[in-house]
Amino acid sequence: DEYQWKGPFYFIQGADPQFGLMKAWAVGDTNNGDDEWGEEIKLAEQAVQAINKLNPKPKFFVLCGDLIHGMPGTQWRKDQERDLKNVLKNTDQDIPLVFVSGNHDIGNTPTRETIDNYCKNWGDDYFSFWVGGVFFLVLNSQLYFDSSKCPKLKQAQDLWLDEQLTVAEKHKCKHIIVFQHIPLFLRKPDEDHDYFNLEKSVRQEIMEKFHKTGIKAVFSGHYHRNAGGFYRGLEMVVSSAIGCQLGEDTHGLRVVVVTDEKIVHRYYSLNELSSQGLEKELLDMLAKQN
């Protein structure tokens, strides 16, 4: 049923609730200073309340990684996961949750064990799904960042991705959209590699593959600031965090409207979204039936 285009819809993208980072960042101890996350709990609750009030309802709510701050094996991790789940349980039951793995969820250099643990807690680290004729791919970007401890898992994802892109072509989908934690790039496809983007040769290969398959947009987090750019018609969208901000942006969520021709998105602060909801221009796009 979901293979068929049924007219415009929208979804909500959030990133980096990252329970524990705000205190860690404030005290300058990002490895151990995450023994409290009351502020992040409040922000995540505000995000859920804002989403629940939206009318019409979004098709789903995707969280693009760094669900919590505590790395695998650290002391506060279980408590952070429990508290985030308790907040997310209050999401309207008609709005499915989609989880993307981030570096704090599976480690900067993931292993089979850290990925297995994530999957037990949050679901698969990569998968695909259809909504109204649009094909969505969730990727484990950590395998592109450093798969040195689990090369076979990277090979498996690569193989799977190629299969999925073949499927997408066969079904003549309206759009293909990708979710991953680490951006391909922040502003320019040929920018230098650093902690916040993928290594240049890896990035180039992925961008070219995405471009050839007609993927329209990649949505990510990780940067804790809003950014983005284009590579040959492929849009890279980098969304700031629900939690700790590292730049001038506010705690927020991105509203993404999918129409027949295009993908339109806007970043809202949590306050804006909860007090005003979607603006008229986006509502008008959703109201247009093909």
Side-chain angles (χ1 to χ4, degrees):
D1 191 38
E2 290 297 339
Y3 289 153
Q4 305 306 315
W5 175 253
K6 302 185 191 78
F9 65 87
Y10 81 104
F11 63 87
I12 301 288
Q13 183 220 5
D16 303 89
Q18 207 158 343
F19 282 23
L21 177 59
M22 288 172 94
K23 181 185 176 188
W25 193 257
V27 301
D29 178 1
T30 48
N31 294 325
N32 308 302
D34 45 8
D35 59 347
E36 60 182 73
W37 46 91
E39 211 173 334
E40 282 98 339
I41 290 176
K42 280 197 200 114
L43 290 161
E45 284 173 343
Q46 196 186 348
V48 167
Q49 285 158 8
I51 291 167
N52 287 348
K53 275 167 48 180
L54 292 171
N55 184 22
K57 286 188 197 338
K59 287 287 187 184
F60 60 88
F61 171 28
V62 58
L63 273 170
C64 280
D66 281 2
L67 306 173
I68 56 163
H69 184 61
M71 286 276 190
T74 56
Q75 183 180 356
W76 314 108
R77 188 175 168 89
K78 287 236 179 329
D79 293 344
Q80 289 168 355
E81 288 184 329
R82 179 202 64 217
D83 287 353
L84 178 58
K85 283 180 181 176
N86 284 338
V87 173
L88 293 174
K89 271 181 198 149
N90 296 315
T91 310
D92 185 315
Q93 61 190 28
D94 293 332
I95 304 171
L97 289 163
V98 177
F99 298 111
V100 181
S101 63
N103 56 308
H104 282 261
D105 305 312
I106 58 176
N108 285 323
T109 307
T111 65
R112 185 172 285 277
E113 186 191 13
T114 64
I115 291 174
D116 282 349
N117 279 337
Y118 169 86
C119 293
K120 277 192 202 99
N121 256 307
W122 301 101
D124 292 338
D125 60 322
Y126 58 88
F127 55 97
S128 64
F129 61 98
W130 288 82
V131 175
V134 178
F135 191 47
F136 292 93
L137 292 161
V138 171
L139 298 179
N140 178 345
S141 57
Q142 225 46 44
L143 295 173
Y144 296 127
F145 193 80
D146 183 359
S147 62
S148 56
K149 288 190 178 159
C150 54
K152 286 208 170 94
L153 295 184
K154 176 177 187 299
Q155 286 167 350
Q157 176 172 261
D158 288 345
L159 200 65
W160 172 87
L161 178 58
D162 289 341
E163 285 166 2
Q164 295 297 307
L165 294 175
T166 309
V167 166
E169 279 183 297
K170 195 176 81 191
H171 278 286
K172 302 272 187 284
C173 55
K174 189 61 82 173
H175 303 289
I176 311 172
I177 294 173
V178 173
F179 300 118
Q180 59 187 57
H181 179 60
I182 301 181
L184 297 167
F185 58 89
L186 298 173
R187 292 197 168 80
K188 297 197 172 102
D190 60 350
E191 69 198 16
D192 288 341
H193 166 57
D194 68 17
Y195 175 77
F196 288 112
N197 60 19
L198 291 179
E199 195 271 316
K200 269 177 149 176
S201 62
V202 175
R203 179 197 317 169
Q204 186 58 41
E205 193 182 323
I206 298 169
M207 290 189 308
E208 205 36 48
K209 181 182 284 188
F210 285 3
H211 162 69
K212 279 203 179 104
T213 327
I215 290 174
K216 292 277 174 69
V218 178
F219 288 88
S220 71
H222 188 52
Y223 191 45
H224 295 255
R225 285 153 281 205
N226 287 309
F230 284 86
Y231 172 80
R232 303 176 70 184
L234 166 73
E235 187 175 11
M236 181 68 241
V237 184
V238 185
S239 291
S240 197
I242 293 170
C244 189
Q245 300 300 313
L246 302 183
E248 302 302 309
D249 296 294
T250 47
H251 310 281
L253 293 164
R254 193 172 291 276
V255 172
V256 186
V257 175
V258 184
T259 74
D260 193 14
E261 288 94 38
K262 58 190 178 182
I263 294 149
V264 180
H265 53 87
R266 205 150 288 169
Y267 186 83
Y268 289 81
S269 76
L270 295 180
N271 292 339
E272 276 177 322
L273 197 60
S274 51
S275 62
Q276 295 156 26
L278 305 189
E279 65 215 83
K280 186 175 182 313
E281 188 193 342
L282 296 185
L283 288 170
D284 288 349
M285 282 179 177
L286 290 168
K288 279 197 183 120
Q289 284 307 318
N290 300 338

